[in-house]
Amino acid sequence: MDRYRGVRTAVVVGAGIAGLTAATALARDGWQVEVAEVGPPEAPSGWGLCLTGPSLRALDELGLVDACTAEGYGMSTITHVDVHGEPAGEARLPRLIGARRPAMAGIARPVLHRVLRAEAERCGVVVRHEVTVAAVDHDGDLVRVRLSDGTVRHVALLVGADGIRSAVRGLLGLEASLGFHGQMVWRALVPRPRWATGIHQFAGKADTAGLVPLSDRQAYVFLTENGVERSVLPDAELAPRLRQLLEAFPGRVEEIRSLVTESASVVRRPVLTALLEGPWNRGNGVVIGDAAHAPAPQMASGAALAIEDGLVLARELARHESVGLGLQAFVARRAQRCRTLVETSVAIAGLEQARRHREAYPLADSCHRLMAEPA
């Protein structure tokens, strides 16, 4: 994958949402791209995620939005329910890809990965598994990348899309501290109830819960456990404990709680955030997605930032004569937008823990509308 005959070459580290989107957008602009992914070839497991309006807008520009909405579940509303099980308001999100198309979509994570992976390979991207970056050196206008299997690449661009604990970030000499916010988030795949045609969020006396449709048949339930330390529970205890936590919620949560008994995929993770305070790039290397800005899940927009990053990175590199100038323009264009979303997600997490849910709803709504502005 070394540069030859003027071909622009890139190594992207991480075959997640940000990495595959960036690889596709770069390949379409004539880059020769190799993706190094530390994980196995199998599609990632997991529950699902929400593609908010900015996600759909970026995917539409890549020609992938119809494939995602066809296999996912299109939605336009977020229904808030108070601690007594009564409606507390409804947020109607802006439709960024046309009045007859959804404002957002739930989708199973393996399905989204399959769509992004197929398009990247169609564009000529080479994806290598069980390999990652081991060392990085800057060599003039090139980056010398040594991979974990001992092979070396000399490329014009290195993109670190390797998540919140990014190895590339450290190898580039960039620093970001991880923040834990006193919350553990639970998720479980369940059959979709008929009434669940949009996102539902339930305020509890101690915790918060919700339901996100992923397809006509499937949804995922989430619960944010407040005021807890980071810990790990045995797998056998996850489903019973989640059902116990959901007992505190009235109304429709009782139906959701009963569905968890059928779920074989319950996960519990700490709510972590990260935000690079300084540049995201050094030389011809850059970090994107969660490696640069990992929000708390309260805004359901981590995927949106990752997809936008991949697309905007390619666009800025195409507009500038050198990789260095393109990376500077990319970071300048993205930094404030991503900071706002991360900081808003942290603020909402704090309001949830303080049981100030009615203050959190308009804050989330205003941030969604800000995100509706062009990326």
Side-chain angles (χ1 to χ4, degrees):
M1 296 295 297
D2 293 352
R3 185 177 67 175
Y4 64 98
R5 297 180 184 174
V7 174
R8 294 167 295 171
T9 56
V11 165
V12 176
V13 182
I17 297 172
L20 290 174
T21 303
T24 295
L26 290 167
R28 288 186 178 186
D29 283 349
W31 287 77
Q32 188 177 347
V33 185
E34 179 179 15
V35 175
E37 166 56 45
V38 70
E42 295 80 14
S45 60
W47 48 98
L49 49 84
C50 183
L51 296 172
T52 54
S55 307
L56 298 184
R57 178 172 57 197
L59 289 167
D60 195 31
E61 190 169 339
L62 290 169
L64 300 177
V65 73
D66 289 334
C68 292
T69 56
E71 296 202 57
Y73 193 92
M75 305 173 286
S76 296
T77 61
I78 301 175
T79 300
H80 301 294
V81 181
D82 66 19
V83 293
H84 306 294
E86 299 296 327
E90 183 178 85
R92 289 190 170 273
L93 300 187
R95 296 174 183 260
L96 303 185
I97 56 171
R100 296 187 178 183
R101 300 167 91 182
M104 57 184 170
I107 190 169
R109 188 175 292 271
V111 172
L112 177 61
H113 181 271
R114 185 176 72 244
V115 171
L116 295 177
R117 170 75 180 259
E119 182 62 16
E121 292 182 335
R122 190 191 70 79
C123 293
V125 174
V126 175
V127 182
R128 298 182 60 207
H129 285 273
E130 298 179 337
V131 62
T132 188
V133 62
V136 174
D137 295 295
H138 300 284
D139 183 12
D141 291 336
L142 297 179
V143 185
R144 183 180 184 273
V145 180
R146 179 164 60 83
L147 300 177
S148 55
D149 63 359
T151 59
V152 174
R153 305 287 188 265
H154 291 84
V155 292
L157 175 67
L158 170 66
V159 180
D162 49 342
I164 192 171
R165 295 180 176 84
S166 170
V168 174
R169 188 175 60 214
L171 292 171
L172 290 176
L174 307 174
E175 295 184 4
S177 58
L178 303 188
F180 172 65
H181 301 282
Q183 295 178 317
M184 298 291 292
V185 64
W186 299 70
R187 292 184 178 90
L189 290 173
V190 297
R192 182 184 70 84
R194 281 191 170 185
W195 51 262
T197 57
I199 295 176
H200 282 68
Q201 293 184 345
F202 303 91
K205 294 180 180 179
D207 304 321
T208 57
L211 189 74
V212 180
L214 299 177
S215 68
D216 285 339
R217 295 185 177 183
Q218 196 175 55
Y220 77 83
V221 56
F222 66 86
L223 181 136
T224 306
E225 189 179 9
N226 288 312
V228 292
E229 299 294 326
R230 294 177 65 175
S231 61
V232 177
L233 296 178
D235 289 348
E237 296 181 16
L238 292 177
R241 176 59 178 158
L242 177 56
R243 291 196 298 272
Q244 182 183 21
L245 290 169
L246 290 170
E247 286 180 355
F249 294 83
R252 281 179 160 168
V253 180
E254 182 59 33
E255 179 182 346
I256 298 173
R257 178 176 172 271
S258 69
L259 297 176
V260 174
T261 62
E262 304 172 25
S263 176
S265 54
V266 179
V267 295
R268 177 177 181 263
R269 299 285 187 268
V271 173
L272 299 175
T273 61
L275 183 66
L276 276 174
E277 294 295 336
W280 303 359
N281 62 300
R282 178 155 296 170
N284 282 17
V286 67
V287 292
I288 66 173
D290 281 356
H293 46 73
Q298 277 78 354
M299 281 299 301
S301 294
L305 294 185
I307 295 168
E308 285 184 346
D309 274 359
L311 185 59
V312 174
L313 175 64
R315 297 296 178 263
E316 289 300 327
L317 288 170
R319 290 179 56 238
H320 290 81
E321 293 182 359
S322 72
V323 171
L325 290 174
L327 294 183
Q328 291 176 24
F330 163 72
V331 176
R333 185 171 162 184
R334 297 294 295 157
Q336 186 56 52
R337 180 180 181 86
C338 297
R339 171 181 292 277
T340 297
L341 191 133
V342 172
E343 291 179 346
T344 300
S345 73
V346 172
I348 292 172
L351 290 171
E352 286 181 347
Q353 294 192 81
R355 290 35 162 189
R356 293 159 59 186
H357 300 287
R358 289 189 178 274
E359 295 175 51
Y361 302 152
L363 181 58
D365 187 58
S366 64
C367 189
H368 280 301
R369 296 188 183 282
L370 181 63
M371 287 289 291
E373 297 297 321

